[in-house]
Amino acid sequence: MKTSTAGIAFTKAWEGCKLAAYQDSVGVWTIGYSHTRTAKKGMTITQEQADALLLEDIAV
């Protein structure tokens, strides 16, 4: 399934973006638009990296 441009925009608005890693409500390291697969304590990313991670996450 392919996510539309509107779907990506909705996801970005709903999730919000954090460029520094943080622990979510259950303690999972998270970064960007709720990306968890490679997030680590102390990690920071650029907006461009956050956008790329989102596209990778929705492609999986």
Side-chain angles (χ1 to χ4, degrees):
M1 177 192 303
K2 184 175 177 176
T3 305
S4 68
T5 303
I8 293 169
F10 175 81
T11 301
K12 286 181 173 184
W14 180 263
E15 292 294 339
C17 183
K18 294 189 180 177
L19 301 179
Y22 65 96
Q23 286 183 294
D24 68 8
S25 62
V26 295
V28 176
W29 285 103
T30 305
I31 199 162
Y33 298 101
S34 298
H35 174 81
T36 59
R37 190 168 26 96
T38 60
K40 297 178 181 99
K41 180 179 181 178
M43 182 179 191
T44 60
I45 58 174
T46 65
Q47 184 62 54
E48 292 78 17
Q49 289 170 312
D51 292 339
L53 288 172
L54 174 61
L55 293 178
E56 288 175 21
D57 288 345
I58 62 176
V60 173

